Amino acid sequence: MYSVLIAYILWLGSFFGALGFHRFYLGKTLTGFLWMFSGGLFGIGSIYDLLTLPAQVREANMLKALHEQIRRQHTGKVGWRYANDAQFRVMDGKAPEKEHPEQVILKIAKENNGILTVSDVALGANVPMEESKKLLEALVTKGFVELRVRKSGSLVYVVPDMLDKDQPLENF
């Protein structure tokens, strides 16, 4: 982050801003050269900088933070949280790992005593309904989840290990 004190020291050290060292420091290269070759816009720009340097430092710090955030997004260092935590977080420069869809499904099953519906998974894993159904059907095919029907006639997916034995279900 840029410092107001250093910016003022550079302003003073460049003949009261006439050489524009403070502008180079704040990343304003073009106007730094303009200040250097025009004597700080014939002194008028130097006086302007004397009065507005704290605001210029704040602006440069905000731009630097914005560029850093954009760089993190493009390099994949911003982590997406799954399901109930939609915040972006970067911890120690590393993005938290995204949970595997099966882990999310198991967490939802545990919360629901082993019983899942397509809409439960879609909502909890933040995926479309069709993807939710494909994920559940893949688990049925692998034998980890069973497809059952409630006495009411609705279809549910069941993780037998987490099933509450008192649930009124019948085989499909």
Side-chain angles (χ1 to χ4, degrees):
M1 301 305 276
Y2 299 106
S3 164
V4 174
L5 178 63
I6 292 173
Y8 272 119
I9 290 170
L10 290 170
W11 178 87
L12 189 62
S14 64
F15 300 105
F16 301 101
L19 294 178
F21 295 164
H22 59 290
R23 288 196 162 257
F24 287 107
Y25 170 67
L26 296 176
K28 299 178 176 185
T29 309
L30 187 62
T31 58
F33 281 118
L34 181 63
W35 258 237
M36 187 179 285
F37 293 119
S38 67
L41 291 178
F42 310 105
I44 296 170
S46 298
I47 293 170
Y48 171 81
D49 285 347
L50 173 67
L51 300 173
T52 63
L53 208 50
Q56 290 182 46
V57 169
R58 275 192 306 275
E59 179 185 3
N61 283 334
M62 285 191 297
L63 283 172
K64 185 176 182 179
L66 178 63
H67 286 138
E68 180 65 22
Q69 183 178 9
I70 291 170
R71 184 191 64 78
R72 283 184 187 147
Q73 287 176 344
H74 287 297
T75 59
K77 292 194 175 185
V78 173
W80 290 84
R81 289 278 184 163
Y82 233 89
N84 298 328
D85 185 6
Q87 297 177 348
F88 298 100
R89 291 182 52 191
V90 175
M91 297 178 280
D92 301 328
K94 295 180 182 178
E97 292 185 23
K98 185 177 174 181
E99 289 181 295
H100 192 277
E102 289 180 7
Q103 291 173 321
V104 176
I105 290 170
L106 288 174
K107 286 181 182 179
I108 297 167
K110 187 172 184 176
E111 291 172 5
N112 296 331
N113 296 321
I115 299 174
L116 297 163
T117 64
V118 173
S119 57
D120 287 337
V121 173
L123 188 62
N126 197 23
V127 296
M129 294 283 280
E130 289 190 20
E131 185 177 342
S132 171
K133 185 175 181 180
K134 286 178 185 176
L135 289 168
L136 287 167
E137 287 175 357
L139 291 174
V140 169
T141 303
K142 293 177 185 177
F144 298 119
V145 174
E146 297 174 358
L147 181 59
R148 294 194 184 175
V149 68
R150 287 187 185 267
K151 287 186 178 181
S152 65
S154 62
L155 294 176
V156 292
Y157 295 84
V158 175
V159 179
D161 296 342
M162 296 180 189
L163 185 61
D164 183 3
K165 303 300 181 202
D166 296 328
Q167 289 291 332
L169 295 173
E170 297 176 8
N171 288 336
F172 182 66

